[in-house]
Amino acid sequence: MILLERRRIIFHVSYSFQYLFLFIDEIAPCQSRSVIGLMSLIAAISEVIAFYLASRVIKFFGTSMTSIFIFLAFAVRFSGYYFIVKPYFYIPLETMHFFNFGILYVLMAQKAEAIAPAGLSGTLQGIAHGVTHGLGMNCACCLFSIE
């Protein structure tokens, strides 16, 4: 059940991030450039901080609890995208990128390294990240863009 939910989350994440900036441009055409710029800045800063602190966070909370935090961060972020109508309120939601990308990326690499046969950890990490961030995003965009 948990594996199925993780696949659904990754699928919806892959689809939503491609069209988020277009959605913001529709809500507030005149303000969208500054909002999108600030969202990208906050996401990048939180990502760098997450990469710096990821091993400590995962070691302190454990992999299972960290996975739960990542799930909750996705829930908060997507709920915010659904309920918030003013585009400037999306900017604080981008701090969830700390968990949604930074910690998730490191957690996937650690899990892949833990289950990989000897000498193949880099290959499995590449496959896991490629499927999630490359193939997953492209398939989701193709499937959901068909009308």
Side-chain angles (χ1 to χ4, degrees), residues 39-55:
M39 286 175 67
S40 298
L41 177 69
I42 297 297
I45 290 171
S46 65
E47 197 174 295
V48 169
I49 294 169
F51 285 142
Y52 181 72
L53 298 175
S55 63

mmCIF file of all heavy atoms in Angstrom, residues 39-55:
data_model
loop_
_atom_site.group_PDB
_atom_site.id
_atom_site.type_symbol
_atom_site.label_atom_id
_atom_site.label_comp_id
_atom_site.label_asym_id
_atom_site.label_seq_id
_atom_site.Cartn_x
_atom_site.Cartn_y
_atom_site.Cartn_z
ATOM 1 N N MET A 39 9.943 32.402 -6.209
ATOM 2 C CA MET A 39 9.726 30.982 -5.932
ATOM 3 C C MET A 39 10.957 30.164 -6.314
ATOM 4 O O MET A 39 11.371 29.272 -5.566
ATOM 5 C CB MET A 39 8.501 30.473 -6.684
ATOM 6 C CG MET A 39 7.191 30.939 -6.107
ATOM 7 S SD MET A 39 5.765 30.448 -7.096
ATOM 8 C CE MET A 39 5.787 28.681 -6.883
ATOM 9 N N SER A 40 11.544 30.467 -7.457
ATOM 10 C CA SER A 40 12.746 29.748 -7.879
ATOM 11 C C SER A 40 13.910 30.012 -6.941
ATOM 12 O O SER A 40 14.684 29.105 -6.634
ATOM 13 C CB SER A 40 13.118 30.155 -9.302
ATOM 14 O OG SER A 40 12.100 29.813 -10.193
ATOM 15 N N LEU A 41 14.039 31.250 -6.478
ATOM 16 C CA LEU A 41 15.110 31.596 -5.541
ATOM 17 C C LEU A 41 14.954 30.847 -4.224
ATOM 18 O O LEU A 41 15.917 30.245 -3.722
ATOM 19 C CB LEU A 41 15.122 33.107 -5.287
ATOM 20 C CG LEU A 41 16.145 33.597 -4.269
ATOM 21 C CD1 LEU A 41 17.552 33.439 -4.821
ATOM 22 C CD2 LEU A 41 15.860 35.027 -3.883
ATOM 23 N N ILE A 42 13.761 30.858 -3.665
ATOM 24 C CA ILE A 42 13.504 30.162 -2.398
ATOM 25 C C ILE A 42 13.726 28.663 -2.561
ATOM 26 O O ILE A 42 14.317 28.001 -1.697
ATOM 27 C CB ILE A 42 12.079 30.454 -1.893
ATOM 28 C CG1 ILE A 42 11.895 31.934 -1.589
ATOM 29 C CG2 ILE A 42 11.734 29.596 -0.687
ATOM 30 C CD1 ILE A 42 12.775 32.459 -0.482
ATOM 31 N N ALA A 43 13.277 28.103 -3.678
ATOM 32 C CA ALA A 43 13.463 26.667 -3.918
ATOM 33 C C ALA A 43 14.947 26.318 -4.011
ATOM 34 O O ALA A 43 15.394 25.321 -3.447
ATOM 35 C CB ALA A 43 12.732 26.245 -5.187
ATOM 36 N N ALA A 44 15.712 27.149 -4.705
ATOM 37 C CA ALA A 44 17.144 26.880 -4.855
ATOM 38 C C ALA A 44 17.877 26.997 -3.518
ATOM 39 O O ALA A 44 18.733 26.168 -3.197
ATOM 40 C CB ALA A 44 17.750 27.831 -5.879
ATOM 41 N N ILE A 45 17.541 28.004 -2.735
ATOM 42 C CA ILE A 45 18.187 28.177 -1.430
ATOM 43 C C ILE A 45 17.842 27.014 -0.503
ATOM 44 O O ILE A 45 18.727 26.453 0.164
ATOM 45 C CB ILE A 45 17.792 29.524 -0.805
ATOM 46 C CG1 ILE A 45 18.438 30.675 -1.579
ATOM 47 C CG2 ILE A 45 18.191 29.589 0.666
ATOM 48 C CD1 ILE A 45 17.940 32.046 -1.185
ATOM 49 N N SER A 46 16.577 26.631 -0.460
ATOM 50 C CA SER A 46 16.196 25.517 0.420
ATOM 51 C C SER A 46 16.809 24.201 -0.056
ATOM 52 O O SER A 46 17.139 23.340 0.754
ATOM 53 C CB SER A 46 14.679 25.408 0.520
ATOM 54 O OG SER A 46 14.120 25.068 -0.711
ATOM 55 N N GLU A 47 16.990 24.059 -1.352
ATOM 56 C CA GLU A 47 17.624 22.865 -1.904
ATOM 57 C C GLU A 47 19.084 22.761 -1.482
ATOM 58 O O GLU A 47 19.552 21.684 -1.084
ATOM 59 C CB GLU A 47 17.519 22.955 -3.420
ATOM 60 C CG GLU A 47 17.729 21.706 -4.182
ATOM 61 C CD GLU A 47 17.432 21.969 -5.649
ATOM 62 O OE1 GLU A 47 16.280 22.271 -5.991
ATOM 63 O OE2 GLU A 47 18.384 21.857 -6.434
ATOM 64 N N VAL A 48 19.807 23.865 -1.541
ATOM 65 C CA VAL A 48 21.217 23.871 -1.133
ATOM 66 C C VAL A 48 21.344 23.551 0.353
ATOM 67 O O VAL A 48 22.191 22.752 0.770
ATOM 68 C CB VAL A 48 21.874 25.233 -1.469
ATOM 69 C CG1 VAL A 48 23.239 25.366 -0.825
ATOM 70 C CG2 VAL A 48 21.982 25.406 -2.969
ATOM 71 N N ILE A 49 20.481 24.147 1.157
ATOM 72 C CA ILE A 49 20.491 23.866 2.596
ATOM 73 C C ILE A 49 20.145 22.400 2.852
ATOM 74 O O ILE A 49 20.751 21.749 3.709
ATOM 75 C CB ILE A 49 19.521 24.811 3.333
ATOM 76 C CG1 ILE A 49 20.026 26.251 3.227
ATOM 77 C CG2 ILE A 49 19.364 24.408 4.781
ATOM 78 C CD1 ILE A 49 19.022 27.285 3.695
ATOM 79 N N ALA A 50 19.197 21.866 2.095
ATOM 80 C CA ALA A 50 18.802 20.465 2.266
ATOM 81 C C ALA A 50 19.953 19.523 1.923
ATOM 82 O O ALA A 50 20.187 18.547 2.636
ATOM 83 C CB ALA A 50 17.585 20.148 1.402
ATOM 84 N N PHE A 51 20.659 19.806 0.843
ATOM 85 C CA PHE A 51 21.793 18.953 0.490
ATOM 86 C C PHE A 51 22.877 18.996 1.564
ATOM 87 O O PHE A 51 23.543 18.005 1.823
ATOM 88 C CB PHE A 51 22.379 19.344 -0.860
ATOM 89 C CG PHE A 51 21.547 18.903 -2.034
ATOM 90 C CD1 PHE A 51 21.412 19.712 -3.142
ATOM 91 C CD2 PHE A 51 20.898 17.679 -2.040
ATOM 92 C CE1 PHE A 51 20.657 19.313 -4.226
ATOM 93 C CE2 PHE A 51 20.133 17.265 -3.109
ATOM 94 C CZ PHE A 51 20.027 18.087 -4.202
ATOM 95 N N TYR A 52 23.053 20.140 2.176
ATOM 96 C CA TYR A 52 24.053 20.280 3.238
ATOM 97 C C TYR A 52 23.639 19.516 4.498
ATOM 98 O O TYR A 52 24.473 18.883 5.151
ATOM 99 C CB TYR A 52 24.269 21.762 3.550
ATOM 100 C CG TYR A 52 25.293 22.010 4.617
ATOM 101 C CD1 TYR A 52 26.646 21.822 4.364
ATOM 102 C CD2 TYR A 52 24.917 22.422 5.880
ATOM 103 C CE1 TYR A 52 27.594 22.039 5.348
ATOM 104 C CE2 TYR A 52 25.852 22.645 6.877
ATOM 105 C CZ TYR A 52 27.196 22.456 6.599
ATOM 106 O OH TYR A 52 28.115 22.664 7.582
ATOM 107 N N LEU A 53 22.362 19.545 4.835
ATOM 108 C CA LEU A 53 21.883 18.948 6.081
ATOM 109 C C LEU A 53 21.255 17.562 5.924
ATOM 110 O O LEU A 53 20.835 16.966 6.915
ATOM 111 C CB LEU A 53 20.842 19.871 6.725
ATOM 112 C CG LEU A 53 21.312 21.257 7.142
ATOM 113 C CD1 LEU A 53 20.140 22.076 7.636
ATOM 114 C CD2 LEU A 53 22.382 21.151 8.207
ATOM 115 N N ALA A 54 21.184 17.043 4.712
ATOM 116 C CA ALA A 54 20.426 15.815 4.453
ATOM 117 C C ALA A 54 20.915 14.625 5.261
ATOM 118 O O ALA A 54 20.111 13.898 5.851
ATOM 119 C CB ALA A 54 20.463 15.483 2.969
ATOM 120 N N SER A 55 22.203 14.399 5.305
ATOM 121 C CA SER A 55 22.691 13.219 6.025
ATOM 122 C C SER A 55 22.378 13.318 7.513
ATOM 123 O O SER A 55 22.033 12.311 8.144
ATOM 124 C CB SER A 55 24.183 13.034 5.797
ATOM 125 O OG SER A 55 24.896 14.134 6.308
#
